[in-house]
Amino acid sequence: MAADKRDVRNPLLFECAWEVANKVGGIYTVIKTKVPVTVAEYGDRYTLIGPLSYKTAPMEVEQQEPTDPHLAETLDNMRSQGVKLLYGRWLVEGAPKVLLLDTGSMYSKLDEWKGDLWNLAGIPSPPNDHETNETIVFGYLVAWFLGEYVSRQLTTAVVAHFHEWQAGLAIPLCRKRHIDVTTVFTTHATLLGRYLCAGSVDFYNNLQYFDVDHEAGKRGIYHRYCIERSAAHCADVFTTVSHITAYESEHLLKRKPDGVVPNGLNVVKFQAMHEFQNLHSTSKEKINEFVRGHFYGHLDFDLENTLYMFTAGRYEYRNKGVDMFIESLARLNYQLQKSGSTITVVAFIIMPASTNSYTVEALKGQAVTKQLRDTVTEIQNRIGARLFDHAARRHGDNKPIPTPEELLSPGDLVLLKRRILALNRNSLPPITTHNMTDDANDPILSQIRRVNLFNNHHDRVKIVFHPDFLNSNNPILGMDYEEFVRGCHLGVFPSYYEPWGYTPAECTVMGIPSITTNLSGFGCFIQDLIEHPEDEGCYIVDRRMQSVEESVNQLTDCMFSFCNKSRRQRINQRNRVERLSPLLDWKNLGIEYSKSRQLALRRAYPDQFYGPDGEPIIEIDGEDAGDYFGGGVGKMPPLSVPASPRFRGAATPGDIGTLTEEMQALGTSDYRGYYGWPTSKEDEEDSYPFPLVMKVRSRSGSVMSGASTPGGGVFQSLSERDLQKADAALSQVNGNGGNGVNGH
């Protein structure tokens, strides 16, 4: 059989997702930022598969001819049967090979494939669901491609990794057709979980009691749920992005994930080293400009004593915790007034919604302040010219210094007074920058009205709802999202349903403190790794073990204590949060994907790894190790100095309860990044008065109920045998027993 001959040392990898070269949501960020580390491991043995979008593909992909003869034959055969496709290099860092399949070219087969899907797997498909139709055509095209390819290429093992239900339909098809590939399925959020949470149910406390088929049917997503569940059950390895999603998947998809593959970031893109404090200052000045315009006529607060907080993301009012954020802002307003604080908080809500246009007031505010600035600049130039002229003509008994009346002419004075009078305003500054399509029923506006936050002069908390994407061409708030985040003081993301949470992660790598919850994947990740995350600028609100009222009060207290920090304390906290960046780097977190692919190969080709007695056939040491692991995986340099006595443990992905949870021999060899912690006591004291304290736990049961997998008990990710055998390939790879994986 082909399975006996396939080379599992240097497998080929096809990674399939709906958002390959096709930006729709967060998975685009995951795929795109992970590319460099995957290319480093696989090189040209790595190909991405996605749908062909004629709108974006020409800008994202450089067309090329395949060099692999088996691949060229496969693509030619598919083209000859009417499939339109694009093959080439994705124009992102790492330049991976990419194959885009045009679903529209095969719509003629849709009914035939729908019937086949029903006969094969019992999955129904309604006629008018366009997204499901696209998913079915795409899934069948991917399965067609993989089947054709492995029937020609018989020497090397093939790993196919699928993200989310839109790409996952190919998994049950590959299983039913006995296509000789090993499959990995990663779910970034469950369909049913998102719908249930948005529907105001007590989701996490009732997770084990839901009748999933009934709930999916009631919401009209039963067919989509079936696709997602079949992909999870048919995959050789099933993973999720966080422990909170693993708990959810176990109950809703009825399969316990084999492990967790946290989402990373390309930290180098955001890294500004010592410059990030300066970037905060320059970006904050741009936000100041917007605030001067938005609050013109009511600018009775000191911008040097103003804090900018924000929340951002998809407009999911309850899932993203916007309801809790607004309620907490009202309570924060009361606390600041009661304490007599001079601090003003301007809270931004950046969530794209349906709008008609910018409000007249918002546009007028920016116009009159620009007019005032232009006038003042003009008068400044004239005063400067007069001052120079007066000083140059000094002779005899002339006064050495001109009087203000001589410098500021009556004409200048009139012009200035007119500009200042134009700032008079009878109405309060608006709470939104746009005219909403359904203003009366908009949930965010309704709650702002309910809690009475109308930007009154006595309010210490002001609100600006910006229902649109941020970009530098915006006439009101002309900043890109990254620039805006850098200018703010605190990001607030009190999500109820957040499988991972890129927004607080991006805040962290840009050196901006953030508030998140223990129901977000990112919150669980940080809580698992760091002893006192609040000391590092990552505040985590408990939305799991306490009531809504208690959670709102905790969030209010977090924001109030942040408001009471001095400027020096805030600067110090930005330093402390920015140094957590390496924990979120793909160079460290990408190893979890390597482990899941390794496990998939072991499950698909056990005869290649184990003899009849269960002993491993392939011994990994010295030179073979690099070949076995695909080569090119970075090697961790040795630490230049011993760890500080107060620094407990090391920040390794192995400490977060993943696929290799119980491998005692793993140590820290899977940590392939390097970050220079302070090298002397003096350096440490100057920069960070408190050391970063990492959690140290036994690997055998690190994820306990209520910690990162609520109610889940010990998270046994793999069987004992799997864990023992995977050890050889994943940790004992350096002949000297060193700290890294051999690379080229």
Side-chain angles (χ1 to χ4, degrees), residues 474-672:
N474 192 318
I476 291 178
L477 187 52
M479 302 174 76
D480 289 324
Y481 178 72
E482 183 183 330
E483 191 181 16
F484 173 77
V485 172
R486 287 194 187 276
C488 289
H489 297 91
L490 182 69
V492 186
F493 313 102
S495 307
Y496 184 71
Y497 184 78
E498 189 75 84
W500 175 248
Y502 259 128
T503 38
E506 286 168 343
C507 283
T508 301
V509 298
M510 287 191 259
I512 302 299
S514 63
I515 301 176
T516 184
T517 70
N518 59 354
L519 291 182
S520 78
F522 174 79
C524 292
F525 175 82
I526 290 294
Q527 210 168 35
D528 269 3
L529 244 65
I530 300 174
E531 198 72 51
H532 301 292
E534 63 280 357
D535 291 343
E536 306 303 322
C538 290
Y539 300 90
I540 297 171
V541 173
D542 182 6
R543 291 199 68 173
R544 165 69 180 149
M545 307 306 287
Q546 58 184 15
S547 68
V548 174
E549 178 70 14
E550 290 168 324
S551 298
V552 170
N553 286 333
Q554 186 186 350
L555 176 57
T556 307
D557 292 342
C558 285
M559 294 194 290
F560 185 65
S561 67
F562 187 83
C563 291
N564 289 330
K565 289 184 186 296
S566 66
R567 185 167 182 267
R568 179 170 290 279
Q569 286 173 319
R570 292 198 303 271
I571 290 171
N572 188 39
Q573 192 162 65
R574 284 198 293 275
N575 283 326
R576 293 168 67 77
V577 77
E578 197 270 345
R579 71 175 179 160
L580 299 179
S581 298
L583 299 181
L584 300 167
D585 198 336
W586 272 122
K587 286 177 183 168
N588 305 325
L589 297 179
I591 191 72
E592 304 305 326
Y593 276 86
S594 298
K595 293 170 186 172
S596 61
R597 293 189 288 263
Q598 174 65 26
L599 177 62
L601 285 167
R602 288 177 171 272
R603 287 184 173 171
Y605 306 109
D607 296 343
Q608 297 277 57
F609 292 90
Y610 312 121
D613 55 355
E615 287 302 306
I617 295 172
I618 300 175
E619 293 297 334
I620 306 297
D621 56 20
E623 192 177 325
D624 289 343
D627 295 337
Y628 183 79
F629 211 71
V633 181
K635 181 177 179 180
M636 178 185 174
L639 293 173
S640 56
V641 292
S644 158
R646 294 181 296 161
F647 180 76
R648 304 209 309 261
T652 74
D655 284 334
I656 62 175
T658 59
L659 283 162
T660 51
E661 184 65 50
E662 295 168 9
M663 290 182 193
Q664 299 295 335
L666 189 63
T668 58
S669 63
D670 58 347
Y671 182 57
R672 295 180 281 118

Side-chain angles (χ1 to χ4, degrees), residues 32-109:
K32 182 179 173 181
T33 55
K34 187 174 66 66
V35 159
V37 294
T38 315
V39 168
E41 183 180 341
Y42 279 85
D44 273 354
R45 292 180 289 113
Y46 173 49
T47 305
L48 288 146
I49 303 175
L52 175 55
S53 164
Y54 290 101
K55 186 178 175 185
T56 57
M59 282 95 71
E60 297 242 9
V61 177
E62 178 189 8
Q63 188 166 1
Q64 290 183 358
E65 286 303 313
T67 51
D68 177 353
H70 303 302
L71 185 63
E73 283 177 36
T74 302
L75 297 186
D76 287 343
N77 185 46
M78 291 180 74
R79 281 195 188 102
S80 69
Q81 297 186 56
V83 180
K84 291 181 181 173
L85 52 87
L86 174 65
Y87 179 84
R89 296 272 179 184
W90 190 7
L91 299 176
V92 296
E93 186 184 349
K97 295 194 288 189
V98 64
L99 170 63
L100 302 180
L101 301 165
D102 179 7
T103 53
S105 65
M106 281 287 112
Y107 253 66
S108 57
K109 296 263 190 184

Side-chain angles (χ1 to χ4, degrees), residues 455-474:
N455 297 338
N456 271 302
H457 69 90
H458 56 76
D459 285 329
R460 294 271 51 83
V461 174
K462 320 283 187 183
I463 283 195
V464 178
F465 175 31
H466 187 271
D468 198 2
F469 289 109
L470 289 176
N471 67 72
S472 50
N473 300 321
N474 192 318

Side-chain angles (χ1 to χ4, degrees), residues 191-201 203 207 210 215 219 252 318-319:
L191 273 168
L192 195 52
R194 197 179 288 284
Y195 273 82
L196 286 168
C197 283
S200 300
V201 298
F203 180 66
L207 203 46
F210 288 122
E215 295 292 344
R219 287 162 176 78
L252 298 186
R318 185 169 183 270
N319 285 0

Side-chain angles (χ1 to χ4, degrees), residues 306-571:
T306 298
L307 297 180
Y308 297 135
M309 298 182 184
F310 80 101
T311 191
R314 272 191 308 276
Y315 196 144
E316 293 181 16
Y317 173 67
R318 185 169 183 270
N319 285 0
K320 297 292 183 188
V322 190
D323 51 351
M324 183 177 281
F325 181 46
I326 296 171
E327 178 61 35
S328 297
L329 287 175
R331 298 185 187 192
L332 176 65
N333 187 40
Y334 172 75
Q335 286 193 15
L336 289 173
Q337 289 172 334
K338 189 180 172 187
S339 64
S341 174
T342 56
I343 289 283
T344 301
V345 171
V346 177
F348 292 90
I349 300 172
I350 312 291
M351 289 193 163
S354 178
T355 62
N356 292 322
S357 61
Y358 296 109
T359 61
V360 173
E361 274 296 292
L363 290 167
K364 183 183 174 186
Q366 301 305 319
V368 294
T369 47
K370 182 180 184 301
Q371 211 170 25
L372 176 63
R373 180 173 289 284
D374 292 346
T375 301
V376 169
T377 305
E378 194 181 319
I379 293 172
Q380 273 179 330
N381 293 338
R382 290 209 284 263
I383 289 174
R386 288 181 197 126
L387 185 59
F388 176 77
D389 188 52
H390 191 282
R393 287 190 292 107
R394 162 128 173 76
H395 63 88
D397 296 329
N398 274 10
K399 294 176 187 173
I401 303 296
T403 62
E405 288 75 18
E406 289 176 294
L407 292 177
L408 195 62
S409 72
D412 290 340
L413 207 55
V414 168
L415 189 58
L416 191 58
K417 282 180 179 176
R418 290 182 65 168
R419 294 288 176 262
I420 293 171
L421 289 171
L423 296 177
N424 283 343
R425 175 190 216 167
N426 296 323
S427 60
L428 291 172
I431 55 176
T432 179
T433 55
H434 291 61
N435 291 310
M436 304 294 290
T437 303
D438 190 7
D439 185 289
N441 298 311
D442 184 77
I444 290 178
L445 290 180
S446 298
Q447 194 183 357
I448 292 172
R449 290 166 183 145
R450 191 163 59 248
V451 299
N452 245 5
L453 283 177
F454 291 126
N455 297 338
N456 271 302
H457 69 90
H458 56 76
D459 285 329
R460 294 271 51 83
V461 174
K462 320 283 187 183
I463 283 195
V464 178
F465 175 31
H466 187 271
D468 198 2
F469 289 109
L470 289 176
N471 67 72
S472 50
N473 300 321
N474 192 318
I476 291 178
L477 187 52
M479 302 174 76
D480 289 324
Y481 178 72
E482 183 183 330
E483 191 181 16
F484 173 77
V485 172
R486 287 194 187 276
C488 289
H489 297 91
L490 182 69
V492 186
F493 313 102
S495 307
Y496 184 71
Y497 184 78
E498 189 75 84
W500 175 248
Y502 259 128
T503 38
E506 286 168 343
C507 283
T508 301
V509 298
M510 287 191 259
I512 302 299
S514 63
I515 301 176
T516 184
T517 70
N518 59 354
L519 291 182
S520 78
F522 174 79
C524 292
F525 175 82
I526 290 294
Q527 210 168 35
D528 269 3
L529 244 65
I530 300 174
E531 198 72 51
H532 301 292
E534 63 280 357
D535 291 343
E536 306 303 322
C538 290
Y539 300 90
I540 297 171
V541 173
D542 182 6
R543 291 199 68 173
R544 165 69 180 149
M545 307 306 287
Q546 58 184 15
S547 68
V548 174
E549 178 70 14
E550 290 168 324
S551 298
V552 170
N553 286 333
Q554 186 186 350
L555 176 57
T556 307
D557 292 342
C558 285
M559 294 194 290
F560 185 65
S561 67
F562 187 83
C563 291
N564 289 330
K565 289 184 186 296
S566 66
R567 185 167 182 267
R568 179 170 290 279
Q569 286 173 319
R570 292 198 303 271
I571 290 171

